[in-house]
Amino acid sequence: MSFFNKALASLGIGNAKVDTRLKQIQYRQGDLIEGEVFVQGGQVEQTVDEIYLYLVILYHQDNSQQEYVMEEYRLSEVFTIGPRETKVIPFEFSLPYDTPVTTGGCPVFLKTGLDISMAVDPDDTDGIEVLPHPLLETVLQVVERIGFQLTEIDFEFENFYSRHPFIQVFNFKPVGDLRNSLDGLDLMFYIGERRLEAIFQVDRKATDLMSSLEEALELDRKTFRLSISEEDVKGGDQELERKLTDLIVQHAQ
C-alpha cells in the first residue's frame, strides 16, 4: 500500500498541498506583504526541496497575454512533511516600488509552490490589488486638477529604462483649457521610498502646416522630467500644481 501511495503521490494524487494566506490583499507600491504558507502533508511522507514564492505580472503585448515573474523568493530549506502533517512557514517582503498598479486591468498575483523531487509540484495562486504609491497618487490627482482626465493605463516596451521588459504608462486627455493645444499627456514614473522621478510626454495638437508636418514625422511630442519628494508636498500640493501647470503650458508651445 505504501508503494502504491508513493506512486500516486508522484502523479499528484494524495500529494502534499500548499495554501498561502495573506494578512490582506490590498497594498500600495512599497508596502510590506506579510503572510503564512500552510503545507499539508498527503498520504505519504515527502521531501520538500524548497518552497518558492513568485510575484507575477500579467500584461498584454501584441494582442497576447504575457506572464512575467517580477520577483522570486525562496522561503525554506529542504524539509520532510509527514502524512497529514501541517507545517506553517511565515514570510514577509516589501512589494517592489515598480510593481504595476492593478487599476488599469493588470493582474498581479503571488504564486506559491513546493518543489518535490519525483512528483508533481503543487502550487497556489493569490491575487493582490496594487494601489499607487502616495507620491504617485498625489501627482495623478494634481494632473487631473490641472485639466486632464485619465483615460488608460497601459505599458511601454521601447525607449525607456527599466529592469523589466516594460514600464507602466498613465495616459491622459486634456479636458480643460489645454484641449485646444494638446492631444494628450503620458506619464511614467520611477519610484523610490520618499521620492519619485516623473516623466511627462506632452503630445501637441496640430494647428498649422508646420505642426501638422511635425505630427506626421512624430516630432509633435515633447518630454520633460520632474523629481518630486515627500518634502515637496509636505505642506500641500499647491506649489506642485503651479509648477506642473507652468511646465506643461511651456512644453505645449
Side-chain angles (χ1 to χ4, degrees), residues 68 97 100 102 111 149 175 186 236:
Y68 174 67
Y97 288 106
T102 53
K111 180 178 180 179
Q149 179 182 334
V175 292
D186 296 341

Side-chain angles (χ1 to χ4, degrees), residues 219-236:
L219 300 175
D220 56 328
R221 286 177 172 263
K222 287 189 175 181
T223 301
F224 68 90
R225 305 171 71 104
L226 185 64
S227 181
I228 304 163
S229 69
E230 286 183 350
E231 193 67 27
D232 293 333
V233 295
K234 188 175 182 179

Side-chain angles (χ1 to χ4, degrees), residues 66-77:
Q66 308 291 329
E67 182 175 303
Y68 174 67
V69 177
M70 193 169 193
E71 297 287 350
E72 179 179 346
Y73 307 93
R74 184 178 181 182
L75 303 184
S76 73
E77 302 294 334

Side-chain angles (χ1 to χ4, degrees), residues 103-156:
T103 310
C106 168
V108 176
F109 61 90
L110 297 177
K111 180 178 180 179
T112 315
L114 305 181
D115 186 1
I116 302 176
S117 299
M118 305 299 291
V120 176
D121 292 341
D123 59 37
D124 177 49
T125 58
D126 298 270
I128 61 173
E129 182 181 1
V130 182
L131 302 177
H133 184 280
L135 269 178
L136 191 156
E137 188 171 57
T138 296
V139 175
L140 297 180
Q141 291 171 349
V142 168
V143 169
E144 288 189 336
R145 286 209 309 270
I146 290 173
F148 291 88
Q149 179 182 334
L150 182 64
T151 57
E152 186 181 20
I153 303 175
D154 58 12
F155 291 93
E156 174 66 40

Side-chain angles (χ1 to χ4, degrees), residues 29-30 97 133-135 190-196 230:
Q29 296 162 313
Y97 288 106
H133 184 280
L135 269 178
Y190 296 100
I191 308 167
E193 183 178 0
R194 294 184 173 85
R195 175 181 295 274
L196 64 76
E230 286 183 350

